[in-house]
Amino acid sequence: MRTIDWAGDAVELVDQTLLPGECAVIRVGTVDGLIDAIRRLAVRGAPALGVAGALGVALAAATEPDPAAAAARLRAARPTAVNLAWGVDEALKHLDEGFEAVLGRALEIRDADIAACHAMGERGADLVCELTGRDRPRIMTVCNTGGLAAVERGTALGVVQTLHERGRLAGAIALETRPLLQGARLTAWELGRMGAPYRLIVDSAGPFLLARGEADAVLIGADRIAANGDTANKIGSYALALGARRAGVPFVVVAPESTVDLATPSGDLVEIEDRDPEEVLGVRGVRLAPEGAAVLNPAFDVTPRDLITAIVTERRVIRPDRGETP
Ligand code: MRU
């Protein structure tokens, strides 16, 4: 199954807002429809957003009177994952050559993502066994970094999948990932489909369970890796990194090269998306907080480089804890 693909004259994507109850594919034939799908997280996860951005420029080339203006709107649909802007920019380089050239570049980006996730899975699985000194490590992870966050296979959850396929996964612990529950809804669904052993926890249990020795490594994805190695990822990642450091557990970022943003010197310069207060005030339309409650809802946080043991990409392993930078 592909999370996102081109289908003749439209983008097809799995509507992730419906999972795990329903696995439905929707067709999106306009740039504004794609922007809406990105904003409501029907398609989400940094690598998938990169492919969406590139395919969206193909849609713009085919349907928009001013494709460059439409691409600029698409590029700004969500601010934190650099992959979206990267995918748009890569496809835009071919706009003057016409629709077929733009689509060709977008399909290359799709195919490169599939290959990159396989490579990260292999490299990451080897590294985790080496760092933990375990043949069958136990992995903690946050948000959803599986095939649903990419095209076919994921980043951090791709490493978990590779370990499982090698018969080397002792177990996964997935944080539920409030407020939108990507861990409970999507990661648990993917781990179940893999047949991998897993347990789901509330986000606030993560650091304590690390202190209690319940996981051998923390693996996360990334939305943007700054030039100095600081890493923006789903809210809750920073707390896990602090807990991992205190517990002496390796904290590993798994992300494609397209997530590395050398134009952003450090994490404090990454724009963090603040989302709708309604996401915090209740769960899926059921109001929990009292009327008048004020909300802070940052969708991402930044883990400083000194808390990161390693960054794994499809090409290399970077060791921020040894002073290496991307
Ligand atoms: O808000 P989301 O669901 O798009 O956030 C996704 C994440 O934070 C992922 O961890 C990140 O994009 C890496 S996905 C391989």
Side-chain angles (χ1 to χ4, degrees), residues 120 123-124 127-128 131 155 159 218-232 250-262 303-326:
M120 285 183 277
R123 182 169 288 118
L127 181 75
V128 166
L131 288 172
T155 59
V159 174
V218 176
L219 297 188
I220 67 161
D223 288 88
R224 191 181 294 244
I225 300 171
N228 72 345
D230 292 349
T231 295
F251 185 88
V252 178
V253 175
V254 186
E257 293 285 339
S258 53
T259 306
V260 176
D261 177 17
L262 296 178
T303 299
R305 46 169 289 163
D306 59 284
L307 294 178
I308 298 171
T309 312
I311 298 170
V312 177
T313 80
E314 69 274 34
R315 280 205 283 117
R316 52 192 172 146
V317 174
I318 302 151
R319 296 292 302 258
D321 67 339
R322 294 182 183 161
E324 293 177 10
T325 54

Coordinates of all heavy atoms in Angstrom, one line a residue, residues 120 123-124 127-128 131 155 159 218-232 250-262 303-326:
M120 N 17.5 3.5 5.4 CA 17.5 4.0 6.8 C 17.1 2.8 7.7 O 17.7 2.7 8.8 CB 16.5 5.1 7.0 CG 17.0 6.4 6.5 SD 15.8 7.8 6.8 CE 14.7 7.6 5.5
R123 N 20.3 0.6 8.0 CA 21.4 1.3 8.7 C 21.0 1.5 10.2 O 21.8 1.3 11.1 CB 21.8 2.6 8.0 CG 22.9 3.4 8.7 CD 23.4 4.5 7.8 NE 24.1 4.1 6.6 CZ 23.7 4.3 5.4 NH1 22.6 5.0 5.1 NH2 24.5 3.8 4.4
G124 N 19.8 1.9 10.3 CA 19.3 2.2 11.7 C 19.2 1.0 12.5 O 19.6 1.0 13.7
L127 N 22.7 0.1 13.6 CA 23.2 1.0 14.6 C 22.6 0.8 16.0 O 23.3 0.9 17.0 CB 22.9 2.5 14.1 CG 23.5 3.5 15.1 CD1 25.0 3.7 15.0 CD2 22.8 4.9 14.8
V128 N 21.3 0.6 16.0 CA 20.6 0.4 17.3 C 21.2 -0.8 18.1 O 21.4 -0.7 19.3 CB 19.1 0.3 17.1 CG1 18.4 -0.2 18.4 CG2 18.5 1.7 16.7
L131 N 24.6 0.3 19.3 CA 24.6 1.3 20.4 C 24.1 0.7 21.7 O 24.5 1.1 22.8 CB 23.7 2.5 20.0 CG 24.2 3.5 19.0 CD1 23.1 4.5 18.6 CD2 25.4 4.2 19.5
T155 N 10.5 5.9 8.6 CA 11.9 6.3 9.0 C 12.2 5.6 10.4 O 12.7 4.5 10.4 CB 12.0 7.8 9.2 OG1 11.0 8.3 10.1 CG2 11.7 8.5 7.8
V159 N 12.9 1.5 11.0 CA 13.9 0.8 11.7 C 13.3 -0.3 12.5 O 13.8 -1.4 12.6 CB 14.8 1.8 12.5 CG1 15.8 1.0 13.3 CG2 15.5 2.8 11.6
V218 N 15.6 5.1 22.2 CA 14.5 5.9 21.7 C 14.8 6.2 20.3 O 15.9 6.7 19.9 CB 14.3 7.2 22.5 CG1 13.2 8.1 21.9 CG2 14.0 6.9 24.0
L219 N 13.8 6.0 19.4 CA 13.9 6.3 18.0 C 12.8 7.3 17.6 O 11.7 7.1 17.9 CB 13.8 5.1 17.1 CG 14.8 4.0 17.2 CD1 14.5 2.9 16.1 CD2 16.2 4.5 17.1
I220 N 13.2 8.4 17.0 CA 12.2 9.4 16.5 C 12.5 9.8 15.1 O 13.6 9.6 14.6 CB 12.2 10.7 17.4 CG1 13.5 11.5 17.2 CG2 11.9 10.4 18.9 CD1 13.3 13.0 17.6
G221 N 11.5 10.3 14.4 CA 11.7 10.9 13.1 C 12.1 12.4 13.3 O 12.5 12.8 14.3
A222 N 12.0 13.1 12.2 CA 12.3 14.6 12.3 C 11.5 15.3 11.2 O 11.2 14.8 10.2 CB 13.8 14.8 12.1
D223 N 11.1 16.6 11.6 CA 10.5 17.5 10.7 C 11.5 18.5 10.1 O 11.3 19.0 9.0 CB 9.3 18.2 11.3 CG 8.2 17.2 11.6 OD1 8.2 16.5 12.6 OD2 7.3 17.0 10.7
R224 N 12.5 18.8 10.8 CA 13.6 19.6 10.3 C 14.8 19.4 11.2 O 14.7 19.5 12.4 CB 13.1 21.1 10.3 CG 14.0 22.0 9.6 CD 13.5 23.5 9.7 NE 12.2 23.7 9.1 CZ 12.0 24.5 8.0 NH1 13.0 25.2 7.5 NH2 10.8 24.7 7.5
I225 N 15.9 19.2 10.5 CA 17.2 19.1 11.3 C 18.0 20.3 10.9 O 18.4 20.5 9.7 CB 17.9 17.8 10.9 CG1 17.1 16.6 11.2 CG2 19.3 17.7 11.6 CD1 17.6 15.2 10.7
A226 N 18.3 21.1 11.9 CA 19.1 22.4 11.6 C 20.5 22.0 11.3 O 21.0 20.9 11.6 CB 19.0 23.3 12.8
A227 N 21.3 23.0 10.8 CA 22.6 22.8 10.4 C 23.5 22.3 11.5 O 24.5 21.7 11.3 CB 23.2 24.1 9.7
N228 N 23.2 22.7 12.8 CA 24.0 22.3 13.9 C 23.5 21.0 14.5 O 24.1 20.5 15.5 CB 24.0 23.4 15.0 CG 22.7 23.5 15.7 OD1 21.7 23.0 15.2 ND2 22.6 24.2 16.9
G229 N 22.5 20.4 13.9 CA 22.0 19.1 14.4 C 20.8 19.2 15.3 O 20.1 18.1 15.6
D230 N 20.4 20.4 15.8 CA 19.2 20.5 16.6 C 18.0 20.0 15.7 O 18.0 20.2 14.5 CB 18.9 22.0 16.9 CG 19.8 22.6 17.9 OD1 20.6 21.9 18.5 OD2 19.8 23.9 18.0
T231 N 17.1 19.3 16.4 CA 16.1 18.6 15.6 C 14.7 18.9 16.0 O 14.3 18.7 17.2 CB 16.3 17.0 15.7 OG1 17.6 16.7 15.0 CG2 15.2 16.2 15.0
A232 N 13.8 19.4 15.1 CA 12.4 19.6 15.4 C 11.6 18.4 15.0 O 11.8 17.8 14.0 CB 11.9 20.8 14.5
P250 N 20.4 5.5 24.4 CA 20.6 6.2 23.2 C 19.3 6.8 22.6 O 18.3 6.2 22.6 CB 21.1 5.1 22.2 CG 21.6 4.0 23.1 CD 20.8 4.0 24.4
F251 N 19.5 8.0 22.1 CA 18.4 8.8 21.5 C 18.7 9.0 20.1 O 19.7 9.8 19.7 CB 18.2 10.1 22.3 CG 17.0 10.9 21.8 CD1 15.7 10.7 22.3 CD2 17.1 11.8 20.8 CE1 14.6 11.4 21.9 CE2 16.0 12.6 20.4 CZ 14.8 12.3 20.9
V252 N 18.0 8.4 19.1 CA 18.4 8.3 17.7 C 17.3 9.0 16.8 O 16.2 8.6 17.0 CB 18.7 6.9 17.3 CG1 19.1 6.8 15.8 CG2 19.8 6.3 18.2
V253 N 17.8 9.9 16.0 CA 16.9 10.5 15.0 C 17.1 9.8 13.7 O 18.2 9.6 13.2 CB 17.2 12.0 14.8 CG1 16.4 12.6 13.7 CG2 17.0 12.8 16.2
V254 N 15.9 9.4 13.0 CA 16.0 8.7 11.7 C 15.2 9.6 10.7 O 14.0 9.8 10.9 CB 15.4 7.3 11.8 CG1 15.6 6.6 10.5 CG2 16.0 6.5 13.0
A255 N 15.9 10.1 9.7 CA 15.2 11.0 8.8 C 16.0 11.0 7.5 O 17.2 10.9 7.5 CB 15.2 12.4 9.4
P256 N 15.3 11.3 6.3 CA 16.0 11.4 5.1 C 16.8 12.7 5.0 O 16.6 13.6 5.7 CB 14.9 11.3 4.0 CG 13.7 11.8 4.8 CD 13.9 11.4 6.2
E257 N 17.7 12.7 4.0 CA 18.6 13.9 3.8 C 17.7 15.1 3.5 O 18.1 16.2 3.8 CB 19.5 13.7 2.6 CG 20.6 12.6 2.9 CD 21.7 13.1 3.9 OE1 21.9 14.4 4.0 OE2 22.4 12.3 4.5
S258 N 16.5 14.9 2.9 CA 15.6 16.0 2.6 C 15.1 16.7 3.8 O 14.5 17.8 3.7 CB 14.5 15.6 1.7 OG 13.8 14.5 2.3
T259 N 15.3 16.2 5.0 CA 14.8 16.8 6.2 C 15.9 17.7 6.8 O 15.7 18.4 7.8 CB 14.4 15.7 7.3 OG1 13.4 14.9 6.6 CG2 13.8 16.3 8.5
V260 N 17.2 17.5 6.3 CA 18.3 18.3 6.8 C 18.2 19.7 6.1 O 18.1 19.8 4.9 CB 19.6 17.7 6.5 CG1 20.8 18.6 6.9 CG2 19.7 16.3 7.1
D261 N 18.2 20.7 7.0 CA 18.0 22.1 6.4 C 19.2 22.9 6.8 O 19.3 23.6 7.9 CB 16.7 22.7 7.1 CG 16.5 24.1 6.6 OD1 17.1 24.6 5.6 OD2 15.7 24.8 7.3
L262 N 20.2 22.9 5.9 CA 21.4 23.6 6.2 C 21.2 25.2 6.2 O 22.1 25.9 6.7 CB 22.5 23.2 5.2 CG 22.9 21.8 5.2 CD1 23.9 21.5 4.1 CD2 23.4 21.4 6.6
T303 N 14.7 19.3 19.9 CA 15.6 18.6 20.8 C 17.0 19.2 20.5 O 17.5 19.1 19.3 CB 15.6 17.1 20.5 OG1 14.3 16.7 20.8 CG2 16.6 16.4 21.4
P304 N 17.7 19.7 21.5 CA 19.0 20.2 21.2 C 20.0 19.1 20.9 O 19.9 18.0 21.4 CB 19.4 20.9 22.5 CG 18.3 20.7 23.5 CD 17.3 19.9 22.8
R305 N 20.9 19.4 20.0 CA 21.9 18.4 19.5 C 22.6 17.7 20.5 O 22.9 16.5 20.3 CB 22.9 19.1 18.5 CG 23.5 20.4 19.2 CD 24.6 20.9 18.4 NE 25.7 20.0 18.6 CZ 26.8 20.0 17.8 NH1 26.9 20.8 16.8 NH2 27.8 19.2 18.0
D306 N 22.9 18.3 21.7 CA 23.7 17.6 22.7 C 23.0 16.4 23.3 O 23.6 15.6 24.0 CB 24.3 18.5 23.7 CG 23.2 19.3 24.4 OD1 22.6 20.2 23.9 OD2 22.8 18.9 25.6
L307 N 21.6 16.4 23.1 CA 20.9 15.2 23.6 C 20.7 14.1 22.6 O 20.0 13.1 22.9 CB 19.5 15.7 24.1 CG 19.5 16.7 25.3 CD1 18.0 17.1 25.6 CD2 20.1 16.0 26.5
I308 N 21.2 14.3 21.4 CA 21.0 13.4 20.3 C 22.3 12.5 20.1 O 23.3 13.0 19.9 CB 20.7 14.1 19.0 CG1 19.4 14.9 19.2 CG2 20.6 13.1 17.8 CD1 19.1 15.9 18.0
T309 N 22.1 11.2 20.3 CA 23.2 10.3 20.2 C 23.6 10.2 18.7 O 24.8 10.2 18.4 CB 22.8 8.9 20.7 OG1 22.2 9.0 21.9 CG2 24.0 7.9 20.8
A310 N 22.6 10.0 17.8 CA 22.9 9.8 16.4 C 21.8 10.2 15.5 O 20.6 10.2 15.9 CB 23.2 8.3 16.1
I311 N 22.1 10.7 14.3 CA 21.1 11.0 13.3 C 21.4 10.0 12.1 O 22.6 10.0 11.6 CB 21.2 12.4 12.8 CG1 20.9 13.4 13.9 CG2 20.3 12.7 11.6 CD1 21.2 14.9 13.6
V312 N 20.4 9.2 11.7 CA 20.6 8.2 10.7 C 19.8 8.7 9.4 O 18.6 9.0 9.5 CB 20.0 6.9 11.1 CG1 20.1 5.9 9.9 CG2 20.7 6.3 12.3
T313 N 20.5 8.9 8.3 CA 19.9 9.2 7.1 C 20.1 8.0 6.1 O 20.8 7.0 6.4 CB 20.4 10.5 6.4 OG1 21.6 10.2 5.7 CG2 20.6 11.6 7.4
E314 N 19.6 8.2 4.9 CA 19.8 7.1 3.9 C 21.3 7.0 3.4 O 21.7 6.1 2.8 CB 18.9 7.3 2.7 CG 19.2 8.5 1.8 CD 18.5 9.7 2.2 OE1 18.4 10.0 3.5 OE2 18.1 10.6 1.4
R315 N 22.1 8.1 3.8 CA 23.5 8.1 3.3 C 24.5 7.9 4.4 O 25.6 7.5 4.1 CB 23.7 9.4 2.6 CG 23.2 9.5 1.2 CD 24.0 10.5 0.3 NE 23.6 11.9 0.6 CZ 24.5 12.8 1.1 NH1 25.7 12.5 1.4 NH2 24.1 14.0 1.3
R316 N 24.1 8.3 5.7 CA 25.2 8.4 6.7 C 24.6 8.3 8.1 O 23.4 8.4 8.3 CB 26.0 9.7 6.5 CG 25.0 10.9 6.4 CD 25.7 12.2 6.0 NE 24.7 13.2 5.8 CZ 24.9 14.5 6.1 NH1 26.0 14.9 6.5 NH2 23.9 15.4 5.9
V317 N 25.6 8.2 9.0 CA 25.2 8.3 10.4 C 26.0 9.5 10.9 O 27.2 9.6 10.8 CB 25.6 7.1 11.2 CG1 25.4 7.3 12.7 CG2 24.8 5.8 10.8
I318 N 25.3 10.5 11.6 CA 26.0 11.7 12.1 C 25.9 11.5 13.6 O 24.9 11.1 14.2 CB 25.2 12.9 11.7 CG1 25.1 13.0 10.2 CG2 25.8 14.2 12.3 CD1 23.9 13.7 9.6
R319 N 27.0 11.8 14.3 CA 27.0 11.7 15.8 C 27.1 13.0 16.5 O 28.2 13.5 16.8 CB 28.2 10.8 16.2 CG 28.1 9.3 15.7 CD 27.0 8.5 16.3 NE 27.2 8.5 17.8 CZ 27.6 7.5 18.5 NH1 28.0 6.4 17.9 NH2 27.7 7.5 19.8
P320 N 26.0 13.7 16.7 CA 26.0 15.0 17.4 C 26.6 14.9 18.8 O 27.3 15.9 19.2 CB 24.5 15.4 17.5 CG 23.9 14.7 16.3 CD 24.6 13.4 16.2
D321 N 26.5 13.8 19.4 CA 27.1 13.6 20.8 C 28.6 13.6 20.7 O 29.3 13.8 21.7 CB 26.6 12.4 21.5 CG 27.0 11.1 20.8 OD1 27.4 11.1 19.6 OD2 27.0 10.0 21.5
R322 N 29.2 13.4 19.5 CA 30.6 13.5 19.3 C 31.0 14.8 18.6 O 32.1 14.9 18.1 CB 31.1 12.3 18.5 CG 31.0 11.0 19.2 CD 31.5 9.9 18.3 NE 31.3 8.6 18.9 CZ 31.4 7.5 18.3 NH1 31.6 7.5 17.0 NH2 31.2 6.3 18.9
G323 N 30.1 15.8 18.6 CA 30.4 17.1 18.0 C 30.2 17.1 16.5 O 30.5 18.1 15.8
E324 N 29.7 16.0 15.8 CA 29.5 16.1 14.4 C 28.2 16.8 14.0 O 27.3 16.8 14.8 CB 29.4 14.6 13.8 CG 30.7 13.8 13.9 CD 30.5 12.4 13.4 OE1 29.5 12.1 12.8 OE2 31.5 11.6 13.7
T325 N 28.3 17.5 12.9 CA 27.1 18.2 12.4 C 26.7 17.7 11.1 O 27.5 17.2 10.3 CB 27.4 19.8 12.3 OG1 28.5 20.0 11.5 CG2 27.6 20.4 13.7
P326 N 25.4 17.9 10.7 CA 25.0 17.5 9.4 C 25.7 18.2 8.2 O 25.9 17.8 7.1 CB 23.5 17.8 9.3 CG 23.1 18.0 10.7 CD 24.3 18.5 11.5

